[in-house]
Amino acid sequence: MDRIDRSILRELQEDGRLTNLDLAQRIGLSASACMRRVRHLEESGVIQGYRAVIDPEAVGRGFEVLVSIEVRRDRETVEAFEAALQDIPDVIEAYRLFGSPGCLLRIAVADLAAYERLWIERLTSLTGVTEVNSQIIMKRVKEPRGLPVER
Amino acid sequence: MDRIDRSILRELQEDGRLTNLDLAQRIGLSASACMRRVRHLEESGVIQGYRAVIDPEAVGRGFEVLVSIEVRRDRETVEAFEAALQDIPDVIEAYRLFGSPGCLLRIAVADLAAYERLWIERLTSLTGVTEVNSQIIMKRVKEPRGLPVER
DNA sequence: TCTGAAAAGGCACATCC
DNA sequence: GGATGTGCCTTTTCAGA
């Protein structure tokens, strides 16, 4: 993991479909050397995959909500709760936190009505949940552009 | 935007480097028809780009913090504050919310020491900020796998 | 205007140095 | 780390539904 590897990561975060040839050119390496490095980064798990980034509005997911959830803090409850989250596709991200709230979700749905349905049907009925606090997102201030990679 | 387009989006979210041929095969379309659709999705902005997903640990960003920030709520302060966020690379995501807190950040740094430095040097000194509340992430419960796309 | 088929150039990948 | 060659893929153009 040297400066060149980090350049590769920076470029592929910007454009995951760069051809190996273009990539090699940008970082000043021969195509074969470049490909060897990329392959190694992929196989070692540093590059976990490639994804298309799609417009939430276009697929009916333009309404986002942050949900703070308090769960009873014993191992079984927490594990069951976190497993249940995996089965709710509208939950885009989920974090377990120190302190309070114990958990934060980012949810993406079509509109307020869809969120109301989700809230009443699936969120409040999760076992062990003692508190649910929903905050509607007014604006995404900073788009996820991947992680900054030092030079 | 029909069922086939949504299939394309689903596949490209899973694997953004799928070759056009593979993609066409998976969704049951000829290569040229498939490519035309992909191109159209790209040009219309439905597909905003492609990114490599990289392991935060591997680039020294394994320590994540959620930061609730309260800012004075007048237009100038909010705009200056949000502009300032763009210049802090450690801020990975930022949302402006209804209610309280007015803003939530997700921050990725190397470790607690790095976060302390960021907190004292850059966060608390932002103009208009009246409250900063940091919550360390214990665990990422649900990995961002992109948006769910209906069939 | 949608799709499918064929041709040409470019690229990935493996194997060499 | 760099160079070369083969085979496959992307991409364009053209014909049909």
Side-chain angles (χ1 to χ4, degrees), chain A residues 19-31 34:
Chain A
T19 67
N20 182 60
L21 227 61
D22 277 346
L23 179 60
Q25 206 165 299
R26 287 188 190 209
I27 62 178
L29 218 61
S30 76
C34 181

Side-chain angles (χ1 to χ4, degrees), chain A residues 18-21 32 35-36 39:
Chain A
L18 265 183
T19 67
N20 182 60
L21 227 61
S32 49
M35 185 138 88
R36 221 168 307 134
R39 184 108 69 206

Side-chain angles (χ1 to χ4, degrees), chain A residues 75-98:
Chain A
R75 179 172 172 173
E76 273 173 43
T77 307
V78 168
E79 283 179 353
F81 169 73
E82 291 181 353
L85 291 182
Q86 310 300 327
D87 298 329
I88 308 177
D90 316 78
V91 175
I92 306 302
E93 291 177 59
Y95 300 99
R96 192 206 294 165
L97 308 175
F98 292 101

